[in-house]
């Protein structure tokens, strides 16, 4: 690799813009410009020095800020497209055909197109994930590309800089001191700059005051945080790091917790409370009558003892008694239980009485647990009711056979065989809500409906996310990084006293010129320095307002 | 007087103070004669900022009294959130003012806050009960920090707008001039919305409809403006009111569309009147006012406010939002439109910061970017809340 030898004799690596030692501009562009481009202090960044192999080309592609910004914008646009119509996971239908139909019916042909292009599931599409991946690569490559050389050059700064470096800073001052003894000036400057919390170094007749250098590391720290965060998000794809299960559990039921071996949970009670306020204007506008106040499931969490048979709900030890509410999940050993959903008033048991039609005389009562119906209910040694068929969610007949829509007891129907001393061979009857059919003609006995018991059901989700600590660390590092990079800035003031006592000063900050000027005002007054000028301002005036600044090719 | 009435009056006081403050800021930066103009500017400017601070204290007291009355941070519906947003914009303005002492900022910041509060006042101001998912102190922390971040970011648009007002030549036919006038026209439209709402409210206009929503359910709706657009399969129940001209598809909320329509009509008439009476564009009226501001300084203030606002916004709108979502639903991110638009805002400002790494994106372009950023924030506040989120109607 070629070297660039500066007039001062220092050997710089190829691609250097400002001599590492004395700061002289090394490029034609630099020599001609009025104000030097101080980004990365003119060091050679990798992407500017190599461009031969394919690896170099890929590296250079990803390290470019132009590419980085383009990737940010593309991600932004892609994310926004996903909000035009609701995403599939907000649509409460399950099958593909239903989804397709939903988008077409609700949003017309645009909705259909949206669905067919896969935009209704943008965020888990492969191309969206590739876009995020490319953004991550870009962050990593750009940070390494610039961060390491920048660190090296910031560490090896010289105090004394070349005249052409000094004169080409945005803020410059040159001239004799305005009053007092010029031989004391450097001491005065040192004193004042130290009072302003600058670190001051001197080298002969030159002085460098520097403050807030660590702020230059802010962007690199925040990029590291972002990468850690994205890494954490990716880890969730690894099995075991992430459990996300949901379960329905009825009041009074005890069920094994999915994804959490050896644990059982019991639903003691589901509670729904409503606000009792008068209807507000917003409720009126939105057509909402009452607003929910609390969704709560009182649960007991159990653990199986060591020697128990897996999946068997015996030998349970109580570990926690808790009321799960929205915003107040039950947490145990990294697992969390969230109140997600509920269903009120599910039928629990139905009671019938076996009665003789004519007299209304009762032979006894049968209580059917709808989630756990028995094959037969024996009333005495001559009387029993056999359950020949059970249809929890009866939806009509097909080819003479009763059908059930779902396994949930929403609309239970039964086929009973009633065995009585009078009819020992049994009488068959089909019983559903509001409907009785007697296939063999006129029965003597009937199952008379008595009462139902209802109960509520809670929908809980069970989560375990071992990536959370990684995400949290990433988040904290990111926040630290942005705060450091945004709330502090790197200010430098170079001063040189020439043979004749003239002061030459140059100042630079990576942002916040307003504050460094305040520092300089205080300094000039204290050390009686010549007035500084802001060559950036002059630029503006000279070019005339409104003229766009030249683009800069170092991106 | 109950606490909630006191609270309402305090908000009114704040509004008046900002209105008066705006004129003082106007007086402060106007310069006619060179003699002592700087001194006069100083005096007016000082008064202006004092009035602004008084207004802010009243505004903050409104916020606190309402909080005490309702028992939760008053950021839970459109009225509450938007008035709070106005308050934070003033807070951010005061902060930046004391950093840079640039009076001219007030001339844009205060009117923007006024428009926002005026807009908020058009929404019902009853206290709404909180659904379970909103009953969390994380929500309070999240919303307040995010709004504060957005407000500081908004100041970069204030500086950007000032920059453009000065930088754009009102006499040269450029794209910049066209778009800047369009931005100013948009602000007039917000006044149009306020005028339309107030006008029809004073008249007491009401029209009841039934309609069929997209789930096929029968619903009722009340229009407070003459219904130009009717809901899907609407039936008009009130006599002697305007029958809608157009029936819309079920996914479109024709009532809101009607409001947009009338705001547009009122705003446009107002704009045309302004043009006819003054015989000038709004830009050429404002341009001379800002003659003396320093473009470099404005550019720096714009950049600085993004730098200050970006970390606060990241913390509030992303970090705290994720913590809350994790606690409420067990997932820190759910791709819900409001979340996605917070992410978009964040990505946009990240792009702004990176674009500034190149010199070509300082100054004029950067000022435009700041305005676009603010437009995204407003989009998230208005469109996402009222239109997109309405499609999902989540708790
Ligand atoms: C969403 C993603 C990103 C975020 C939130 C982010 C954040 C930041 C922030 C806050 C700064 C400081 C800016 C300033 O102080 O003005 C910065 C600087 C920077 N970023 Fe990013 N960044 C992201 C993506 C990228 C990408 C994709 C690249 C790739 C090219 C990149 C390259 C840089 C560079 C080169 C700097 C300047 C560093 C310096 O001044 O020393 N960033 N970033």
């Amino acid at each position: 690799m070629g070297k660039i030898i500066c007039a001062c004799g220092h050997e710089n690596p190829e691609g250097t813009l400002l001599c590492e030692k004395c700061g002289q501009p090394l490029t034609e562009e630099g020599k001609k410009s009025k104000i030097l481009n101080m980004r990365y202090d003119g060091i050679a960044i990798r992407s500017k020095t190599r461009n031969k192999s394919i690896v170099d080309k890929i590296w250079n592609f990803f390290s470019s800020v132009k590419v980085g910004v383009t990737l940010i914008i593309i991600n932004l646009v892609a994310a926004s497209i996903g909000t035009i119509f609701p995403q599939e996971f907000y649509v409460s239908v399950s099958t593909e055909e239903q989804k397709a139909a939903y988008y077409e019916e609700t949003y017309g042909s645009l909705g259909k197109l949206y669905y067919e292009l896969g935009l209704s599931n943008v965020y888990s599409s492969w191309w969206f994930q590739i876009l995020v991946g490319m953004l991550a690569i870009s962050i990593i490559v750009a940070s390494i590309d610039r961060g390491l050389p920048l660190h090296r050059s910031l560490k090896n700064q010289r105090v004394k800089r070349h005249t052409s470096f000094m004169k080409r800073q945005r803020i410059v001052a040159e001239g004799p001191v305005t009053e007092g003894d010029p031989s004391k000036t450097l001491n005065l400057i040192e004193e004042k700059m130290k009072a302003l919390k600058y670190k001051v170094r001197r080298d002969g007749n030159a002085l460098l005051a520097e403050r807030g250098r660590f702020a230059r590391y802010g962007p690199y720290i925040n990029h590291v945080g972002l990468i850690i965060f994205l890494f954490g998000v990716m880890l969730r794809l690894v099995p075991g790091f992430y459990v996300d299960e949901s379960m329905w559990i009825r009041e009074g039921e005890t069920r094994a917790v999915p994804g959490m071996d050896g644990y059982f949970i019991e639903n003691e009670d589901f509670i729904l409370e409503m606000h009792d306020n008068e209807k507000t204007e917003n409720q009126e506008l939105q057509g909402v009558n009452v607003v929910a106040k609390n969704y709560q499931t009182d649960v007991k969490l159990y653990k199986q003892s060591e020697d128990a048979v897996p999946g068997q709900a015996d030998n349970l030890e109580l570990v926690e008694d808790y009321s799960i509410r929205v915003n107040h999940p039950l947490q145990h050993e990294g697992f969390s239980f969230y109140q997600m959903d509920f269903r009120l008033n599910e039928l629990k048991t139905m009671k019938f009485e076996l009665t003789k039609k004519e007299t209304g005389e009762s032979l006894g009562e049968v209580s059917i647990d709808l989630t756990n119906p028995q094959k037969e209910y024996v009333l005495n040694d001559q009387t029993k009711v056999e359950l020949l068929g059970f249809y929890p969610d009866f939806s009509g007949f097909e080819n003479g056979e009763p059908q059930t829509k779902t396994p949930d007891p929403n609309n239970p129907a039964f086929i009973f065989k009633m065995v009585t001393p009078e009819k020992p061979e049994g009488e068959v009857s089909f019983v559903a809500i509001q409907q009785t059919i007697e296939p063999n003609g006129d029965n003597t006995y009937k199952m008379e409906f008595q009462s139902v018991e209802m109960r509520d059901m809670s929908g809980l989700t069970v989560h375990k996310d071992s990536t959370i600590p990684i995400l949290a660390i990433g988040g904290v590092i990111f926040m630290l990084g942005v705060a450091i990079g945004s709330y502090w800035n790197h200010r430098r003031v170079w001063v040189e006293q020439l043979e004749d006592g003239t002061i030459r000063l140059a100042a630079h900050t990576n942002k916040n010129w307003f504050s460094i000027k305040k520092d300089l005002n205080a300094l000039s007054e204290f050390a009686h320095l010549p007035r500084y000028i802001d060559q950036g301002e002059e630029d503006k005036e000279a070019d005339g307002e409104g003229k766009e600044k030249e683009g800069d090719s170092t991106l | 007087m109950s606490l909630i009435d006191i609270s309402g009056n305090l908000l009114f006081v704040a509004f008046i103070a900002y209105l008066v403050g705006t004129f003082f800021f106007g007086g402060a930066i106007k310069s006619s004669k060179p003699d002592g103009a700087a001194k006069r500017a100083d005096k007016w400017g000082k008064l202006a900022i004092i009035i602004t601070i008084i207004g802010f204290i009243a505004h903050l007291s409104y916020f606190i009294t309402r909080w005490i009355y309702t028992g939760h941070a008053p950021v839970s519906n459109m009225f509450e959130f938007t008035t709070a947003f106005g308050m934070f914009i003033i807070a951010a303005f005061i902060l930046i003012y004391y950093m840079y002492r640039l009076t001219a900022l007030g001339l844009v910041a205060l009117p923007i806050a006024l428009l926002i509060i005026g807009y908020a006042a058009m929404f019902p101001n009853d206290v709404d009960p909180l659904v379970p998912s909103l009953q969390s102190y994380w929500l309070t922390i999240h919303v307040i920090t995010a709004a504060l971040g957005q407000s500081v970011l908004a100041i970069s648009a204030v500086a950007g707008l000032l920059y453009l007002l000065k930088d754009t030549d009102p006499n040269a036919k450029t794209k910049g001039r066209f778009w800047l006038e369009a931005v100013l026209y948009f602000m007039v439209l917000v006044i149009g919305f306020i005028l339309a709402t107030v006008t029809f409210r004073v008249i007491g206009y009401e029209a009841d409809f039934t309609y069929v929503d997209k789930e096929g359910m029968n619903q009722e709706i009340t229009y407070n403006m003459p219904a130009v657009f009717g809901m899907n399969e609407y039936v008009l129940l009130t006599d002697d009111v305007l029958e809608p001209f157009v029936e819309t598809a079920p996914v479109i909320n024709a009532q809101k569309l009607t409001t947009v329509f009338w705001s547009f009509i009122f705003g446009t008439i107002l704009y045309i009147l302004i043009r006819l009476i003054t015989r000038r564009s709004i830009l050429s009226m404002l341009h001379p006012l800002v003659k003396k501001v320093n473009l470099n300084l404005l550019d720096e203030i714009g950049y600085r406010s993004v730098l200050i606002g970006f970390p606060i916004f990241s913390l509030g709108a992303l970090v705290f939002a994720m913590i809350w979502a994790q606690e409420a639903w067990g997932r820190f991110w759910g791709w819900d439109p409001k979340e996605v638009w917070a992410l978009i805002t964040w990505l946009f400002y990240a792009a702004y910061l990176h674009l500034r790494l190149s010199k070509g994106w300082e100054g004029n372009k950067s000022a435009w970017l700041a305005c676009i950023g603010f437009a995204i924030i407003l989009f998230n506040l208005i469109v996402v809340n009222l239109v997109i989120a309405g499609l999902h109607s989540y708790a």
Side-chain angles (χ1 to χ4, degrees), chain B residues 300-323:
Chain B
E300 193 176 324
I301 294 176
Y303 179 37
R304 197 76 195 290
S305 358
V306 175
L307 280 174
I308 298 173
F310 188 73
I312 305 176
F313 182 77
S314 310
L315 189 67
L318 298 176
V319 176
F320 288 159
M322 287 187 205
I323 296 177

Side-chain angles (χ1 to χ4, degrees), chain A residues 39-40 62-65 68-69 72 135 138-139 142 146 150 216 219-220 222-223 226 478 482 485-486 511, chain B residues 303 307 310 346-347 350 353-354 357:
Chain A
R39 187 150 294 284
Y40 315 116
F62 281 110
S63 76
S64 151
V65 177
V69 172
I72 293 177
L135 187 66
S138 174
I139 295 175
R146 291 137 207 264
L150 180 68
R216 295 291 285 274
Y220 303 95
N222 90 45
H223 289 165
L226 282 178
F478 169 77
V482 261
S486 309
K511 49 192 70 151
Chain B
Y303 179 37
L307 280 174
F310 188 73
W346 183 75
L347 286 174
L353 288 172
H354 289 87
L357 298 178

Side-chain angles (χ1 to χ4, degrees), chain B residues 114-137:
Chain B
L114 281 170
L115 285 180
I116 287 176
I117 299 168
Y119 175 78
M122 299 302 112
F123 289 88
N125 63 0
D126 315 347
V127 176
D128 283 310
L130 288 188
V131 295
S133 60
L134 299 186
Q135 300 165 13
S136 163
Y137 59 91

Side-chain angles (χ1 to χ4, degrees), chain A residues 336-353:
Chain A
S336 308
F337 295 78
Y338 297 88
Q339 176 69 51
M340 287 302 281
D341 209 346
F342 62 89
R343 214 175 283 160
L344 293 180
N345 302 332
E346 191 195 55
L347 299 176
K348 180 187 177 203
T349 47
M350 281 180 114
K351 282 203 180 116
F352 295 92
E353 222 164 43

Side-chain angles (χ1 to χ4, degrees), chain A residues 193 196 198-199 208-213 215-216 487-494 507-519, chain B residues 304:
Chain A
M193 290 319 265
L196 290 170
Y198 281 71
K199 285 204 180 76
L208 165 60
E210 188 180 14
R211 175 179 171 182
R213 187 201 285 175
R216 295 291 285 274
Y487 299 150
W488 280 272
N489 42 75
H490 183 210
R491 304 174 196 175
R492 276 175 295 179
V493 178
W494 296 272
H508 181 263
T509 175
N510 62 335
K511 49 192 70 151
N512 199 353
W513 293 89
F514 185 78
S515 294
I516 199 173
K517 282 186 192 168
K518 275 209 273 193
D519 292 349
Chain B
R304 197 76 195 290

